[in-house]
Amino acid sequence: MKKYISKLIVLGVLVFLGTSCDDGAEVTTLQEVKFASDVIASPSNIVLSPDNNYDAVTTISWPEANYPVDAPVTYALQFDIASDTIGDTAWSHAKRFEAGEDVLSKSFLGAELNEIAKDLGLPIDVPGEIVVRIESNLDRKAYSSAIVLTVTPFTQVITLTQIYMPGSYQGWNPATAATLTAIDNGVFQGYVTFPVGQGLGFKFTTDTNWEEFYGLNTSGNFAEHGDTDLTVPAYGSYQITVNLNTLSFTAVPYSWGIIGTSTAGGWNSDTDMTYDYVNKVWKFVGPLVPGALKYRLNDSWTVNYGQNSNNDPVVYFDNQGAYSISVAGNYTVTFALDPDPATAHYTVVMN
């Protein structure tokens, strides 16, 4: 009986569907979305150089996309090379940049376009072609026809051997600021401690004055002559790396500490040292009690140093020995890695 009723229900559904089709109802399809006219780049042939790094070197404009719904449309730009815009993976490697809701143009600085060109593999100092199209999005995505930019990228040669990092930690004076040393062309690295309560802001300068400096611009991007301060997320010590080729920097927590039975944390936790950027040593000033003393990086035993006796002025990587504090008192302890990181030098002096 149940099987019979089920068959009747299925038959009824089929009859209903058949009747609907016989009534000549139209199948609904999505209306095609089109851009009213072509995308325009002004100019479309751009030769990049250090002189136009911070200038708007091209402005790309486009018409509205005609959606059947009256609502804000979000636009973005896609950049790629011609060979990557065909086939099953077309545009999958494109560089994409948001423009915003109902925004119909976007300008690019020389440094931005230079980075796009190099990321896409264009040869340096030779004109190359980049394909650009506009992506629109409302209830679905639609794309404009592509246009071609001719771009000549360059590699900036930076001959500086060091830069300076004035900030709240030292009174904003470039002449007395921490220095970052060149580790590659245009790439600099160093260490800075931000003491609690002295502020988290800083900038970079190329000399001991404010003639050429780097901060955040009005768009929140790292830029030359950016007036807004750069910041670290919290007080403490950091390894700072700056790349002036790509206009970027990183601040990675990085701190040497002392540990052992002579310290407040015993063998359970480090007592952090601060970085003395003038003398380029890590330093602790404070009380110690009789017991053992070792050095380790970032609160971990992965990188640690010890020695065999107090008479040895050198400590060794992953050595099980420790310095022995024999008298309680207030001490100054310093630590500095040697050029060969298998060893480091230290001092322990009672104040």
Side-chain angles (χ1 to χ4, degrees):
M1 182 66 178
K2 289 182 178 179
K3 290 183 179 180
Y4 178 73
I5 293 173
S6 298
K7 289 180 179 180
L8 287 177
I9 293 173
V10 171
L11 179 61
V13 170
L14 291 174
V15 169
F16 172 78
L17 291 175
T19 303
S20 299
C21 293
D22 288 344
D23 288 343
E26 293 185 2
V27 178
T28 301
T29 58
L30 290 175
Q31 179 178 321
E32 183 180 3
V33 177
K34 292 183 178 181
F35 286 76
S37 57
D38 294 334
V39 178
I40 298 173
S42 180
S44 59
N45 190 334
I46 308 105
V47 178
L48 300 168
S49 72
D51 294 337
N52 58 21
N53 246 350
Y54 306 106
D55 298 333
V57 293
T58 189
T59 298
I60 300 175
S61 307
W62 55 92
E64 293 181 349
N66 296 320
Y67 281 85
V69 181
D70 185 14
V73 178
T74 301
Y75 295 97
L77 300 89
Q78 292 184 333
F79 294 78
D80 213 333
I81 56 175
S83 59
D84 282 347
T85 62
I86 56 176
D88 294 338
T89 60
W91 296 94
S92 61
H93 303 297
K95 303 295 179 182
R96 184 178 181 277
F97 296 86
E98 291 280 355
E101 284 189 356
D102 292 340
V103 175
L104 299 179
S105 69
K106 183 173 176 62
S107 297
F108 289 86
L109 300 180
E112 294 174 316
L113 191 58
N114 195 51
E115 198 62 27
I116 294 169
K118 291 194 293 185
D119 284 348
L120 292 174
L122 266 64
I124 301 300
D125 297 327
V126 177
E129 292 187 345
I130 297 176
V131 182
V132 187
R133 71 175 182 177
I134 307 302
E135 170 194 295
S136 64
N137 189 14
L138 181 53
D139 60 331
R140 60 193 184 278
K141 291 182 179 180
Y143 299 92
S144 71
S145 298
I147 62 170
V148 175
L149 297 181
T150 301
V151 179
T152 305
F154 74 99
T155 294
Q156 185 168 355
V157 178
I158 298 173
T159 59
L160 294 171
T161 58
Q162 68 179 18
I163 60 174
Y164 303 82
M165 186 177 161
S168 56
Y169 70 95
Q170 53 83 235
W172 291 102
N173 184 357
T176 59
T179 57
L180 281 64
T181 304
I183 59 173
D184 201 348
N185 174 43
V187 183
F188 306 85
Q189 192 172 83
Y191 305 95
V192 177
T193 296
F194 290 82
V196 174
Q198 292 190 16
L200 303 173
F202 62 94
K203 286 187 172 72
F204 300 109
T205 66
T206 58
D207 207 338
T208 55
N209 53 54
W210 289 102
E211 289 184 11
E212 185 175 358
F213 62 90
Y214 294 82
L216 295 179
N217 61 18
T218 55
S219 299
N221 298 319
F222 184 90
E224 188 176 10
H225 297 152
D227 288 328
T228 302
D229 296 344
L230 305 164
T231 60
V232 291
Y235 294 110
S237 298
Y238 294 86
Q239 182 185 69
I240 309 293
T241 305
V242 181
N243 190 330
L244 295 185
N245 304 303
T246 60
L247 294 180
S248 61
F249 82 96
T250 59
V252 179
Y254 183 103
S255 179
W256 287 96
I258 55 174
I259 192 168
T261 53
S262 68
T263 69
W267 292 114
N268 296 318
S269 62
D270 290 2
T271 299
D272 286 341
M273 309 176 84
T274 59
Y275 189 65
D276 177 352
Y277 62 85
V278 175
N279 297 301
K280 299 190 182 304
V281 297
W282 293 86
K283 182 182 289 185
F284 162 80
V285 178
L288 296 174
V289 299
L293 177 69
K294 292 184 63 126
Y295 308 87
R296 70 178 190 172
L297 178 65
N298 290 341
D299 304 316
S300 169
W301 286 108
T302 303
V303 179
N304 73 92
Y305 289 78
Q307 79 264 48
N308 296 317
S309 73
N310 285 12
N311 296 325
D312 192 345
V314 177
V315 286
Y316 304 89
F317 175 72
D318 210 21
N319 186 293
Q320 294 184 359
Y323 187 92
S324 179
I325 300 293
S326 58
V327 179
N330 199 64
Y331 286 81
T332 296
V333 180
T334 68
F335 174 88
L337 284 177
D338 292 333
D340 180 353
T343 61
H345 277 72
Y346 73 97
T347 62
V348 179
V349 178
M350 180 181 282
N351 298 329

Short mmCIF file of all heavy atoms in Angstrom, two decimals, residues 13-14 20 27 50 63 70 133 135 168 208 211 221 226 262 264 268 295 302 318 322 324 348:
data_model
loop_
_atom_site.label_atom_id
_atom_site.label_comp_id
_atom_site.label_asym_id
_atom_site.label_seq_id
_atom_site.Cartn_x
_atom_site.Cartn_y
_atom_site.Cartn_z
N VAL A 13 3.91 14.67 -9.29
CA VAL A 13 4.97 15.66 -9.47
C VAL A 13 5.37 15.75 -10.94
O VAL A 13 5.54 16.83 -11.51
CB VAL A 13 6.19 15.31 -8.60
CG1 VAL A 13 7.39 16.20 -8.96
CG2 VAL A 13 5.85 15.47 -7.12
N LEU A 14 5.48 14.58 -11.59
CA LEU A 14 5.85 14.56 -13.01
C LEU A 14 4.80 15.23 -13.87
O LEU A 14 5.12 15.98 -14.80
CB LEU A 14 6.08 13.12 -13.47
CG LEU A 14 7.31 12.42 -12.88
CD1 LEU A 14 7.34 10.96 -13.30
CD2 LEU A 14 8.58 13.13 -13.32
N SER A 20 3.69 22.46 -16.44
CA SER A 20 4.38 23.75 -16.39
C SER A 20 5.16 23.99 -17.66
O SER A 20 5.16 25.08 -18.21
CB SER A 20 5.34 23.77 -15.18
OG SER A 20 4.61 23.62 -13.99
N VAL A 27 12.63 30.10 -19.41
CA VAL A 27 13.70 29.82 -18.45
C VAL A 27 14.45 31.11 -18.17
O VAL A 27 14.87 31.81 -19.09
CB VAL A 27 14.67 28.76 -19.02
CG1 VAL A 27 15.81 28.50 -18.04
CG2 VAL A 27 13.91 27.47 -19.31
N PRO A 50 64.43 55.91 -9.90
CA PRO A 50 64.37 56.46 -8.53
C PRO A 50 63.72 57.83 -8.48
O PRO A 50 63.14 58.21 -7.46
CB PRO A 50 65.85 56.51 -8.12
CG PRO A 50 66.52 55.46 -8.94
CD PRO A 50 65.80 55.49 -10.26
N PRO A 63 34.92 52.62 -16.94
CA PRO A 63 33.50 53.00 -16.84
C PRO A 63 32.78 52.11 -15.83
O PRO A 63 33.32 51.11 -15.36
CB PRO A 63 32.98 52.74 -18.26
CG PRO A 63 33.80 51.57 -18.71
CD PRO A 63 35.18 51.78 -18.12
N ASP A 70 20.45 48.09 -8.91
CA ASP A 70 20.94 49.42 -8.56
C ASP A 70 21.51 49.35 -7.14
O ASP A 70 20.80 49.53 -6.15
CB ASP A 70 19.82 50.45 -8.63
CG ASP A 70 20.34 51.87 -8.39
OD1 ASP A 70 21.57 52.05 -8.42
OD2 ASP A 70 19.51 52.78 -8.15
N ARG A 133 43.23 44.28 -16.34
CA ARG A 133 41.78 44.28 -16.53
C ARG A 133 41.12 44.66 -15.21
O ARG A 133 41.73 44.59 -14.13
CB ARG A 133 41.27 42.92 -17.00
CG ARG A 133 41.33 41.81 -15.96
CD ARG A 133 40.69 40.53 -16.49
NE ARG A 133 40.69 39.46 -15.48
CZ ARG A 133 40.14 38.27 -15.67
NH1 ARG A 133 39.56 37.97 -16.83
NH2 ARG A 133 40.17 37.35 -14.71
N GLU A 135 38.07 44.07 -12.46
CA GLU A 135 37.10 43.11 -11.91
C GLU A 135 36.00 43.90 -11.20
O GLU A 135 36.28 44.77 -10.38
CB GLU A 135 37.79 42.20 -10.91
CG GLU A 135 36.85 41.33 -10.08
CD GLU A 135 37.57 40.71 -8.90
OE1 GLU A 135 38.48 39.89 -9.12
OE2 GLU A 135 37.23 41.07 -7.74
N SER A 168 60.99 57.23 20.19
CA SER A 168 60.62 57.63 21.56
C SER A 168 61.54 56.98 22.59
O SER A 168 61.70 57.51 23.69
CB SER A 168 59.17 57.24 21.83
OG SER A 168 58.97 55.85 21.61
N THR A 208 72.32 61.49 10.20
CA THR A 208 72.08 61.92 11.58
C THR A 208 71.26 63.20 11.62
O THR A 208 71.47 64.07 12.47
CB THR A 208 73.42 62.12 12.30
OG1 THR A 208 74.22 63.04 11.54
CG2 THR A 208 74.16 60.80 12.45
N GLU A 211 66.74 65.18 7.14
CA GLU A 211 66.60 65.56 5.74
C GLU A 211 65.93 64.46 4.91
O GLU A 211 65.12 64.75 4.02
CB GLU A 211 67.97 65.91 5.16
CG GLU A 211 68.53 67.21 5.70
CD GLU A 211 69.84 67.59 5.04
OE1 GLU A 211 70.19 66.93 4.02
OE2 GLU A 211 70.51 68.51 5.52
N ASN A 221 51.04 53.53 4.38
CA ASN A 221 52.10 52.73 3.79
C ASN A 221 53.47 53.26 4.18
O ASN A 221 53.66 54.47 4.35
CB ASN A 221 51.98 52.73 2.26
CG ASN A 221 50.68 52.11 1.79
OD1 ASN A 221 50.24 51.09 2.32
ND2 ASN A 221 50.05 52.72 0.80
N GLY A 226 57.30 59.89 5.08
CA GLY A 226 56.03 59.59 5.75
C GLY A 226 56.02 60.22 7.13
O GLY A 226 56.88 59.94 7.97
N SER A 262 71.46 31.96 40.14
CA SER A 262 71.84 33.29 40.65
C SER A 262 70.81 34.35 40.28
O SER A 262 70.88 35.47 40.80
CB SER A 262 73.21 33.69 40.10
OG SER A 262 73.13 33.92 38.70
N ALA A 264 66.72 35.89 39.43
CA ALA A 264 65.41 35.88 40.11
C ALA A 264 64.53 34.73 39.65
O ALA A 264 63.74 34.20 40.44
CB ALA A 264 64.70 37.22 39.85
N ASN A 268 63.88 28.42 35.85
CA ASN A 268 62.53 28.34 35.27
C ASN A 268 62.25 29.42 34.23
O ASN A 268 61.48 29.18 33.30
CB ASN A 268 61.48 28.44 36.39
CG ASN A 268 61.56 27.27 37.34
OD1 ASN A 268 61.72 26.13 36.92
ND2 ASN A 268 61.46 27.54 38.65
N TYR A 295 73.41 32.22 29.56
CA TYR A 295 72.76 33.14 28.64
C TYR A 295 71.95 32.34 27.62
O TYR A 295 72.43 31.31 27.12
CB TYR A 295 73.81 33.98 27.89
CG TYR A 295 74.79 34.66 28.81
CD1 TYR A 295 75.95 34.00 29.22
CD2 TYR A 295 74.56 35.95 29.29
CE1 TYR A 295 76.85 34.61 30.08
CE2 TYR A 295 75.46 36.56 30.14
CZ TYR A 295 76.61 35.88 30.54
OH TYR A 295 77.50 36.49 31.39
N THR A 302 67.09 26.49 22.93
CA THR A 302 67.56 26.19 21.58
C THR A 302 68.90 26.87 21.30
O THR A 302 69.80 26.29 20.71
CB THR A 302 66.53 26.62 20.53
OG1 THR A 302 65.29 25.98 20.81
CG2 THR A 302 66.98 26.27 19.12
N ASP A 318 75.81 26.21 23.37
CA ASP A 318 75.31 24.94 23.88
C ASP A 318 76.28 24.25 24.83
O ASP A 318 76.31 23.02 24.93
CB ASP A 318 74.98 24.00 22.71
CG ASP A 318 73.85 23.04 23.04
OD1 ASP A 318 73.08 23.35 23.97
OD2 ASP A 318 73.74 22.00 22.38
N ALA A 322 78.49 26.88 33.43
CA ALA A 322 77.87 28.14 33.83
C ALA A 322 78.86 28.98 34.63
O ALA A 322 79.76 28.44 35.28
CB ALA A 322 76.61 27.88 34.66
N SER A 324 79.83 31.22 37.81
CA SER A 324 79.44 31.06 39.21
C SER A 324 79.50 32.40 39.93
O SER A 324 80.57 33.02 40.02
CB SER A 324 80.36 30.06 39.91
OG SER A 324 80.00 29.92 41.26
N VAL A 348 80.99 40.18 33.84
CA VAL A 348 80.19 40.16 35.05
C VAL A 348 80.93 41.01 36.08
O VAL A 348 82.02 40.62 36.53
CB VAL A 348 79.99 38.74 35.59
CG1 VAL A 348 79.16 38.77 36.88
CG2 VAL A 348 79.29 37.86 34.55
#
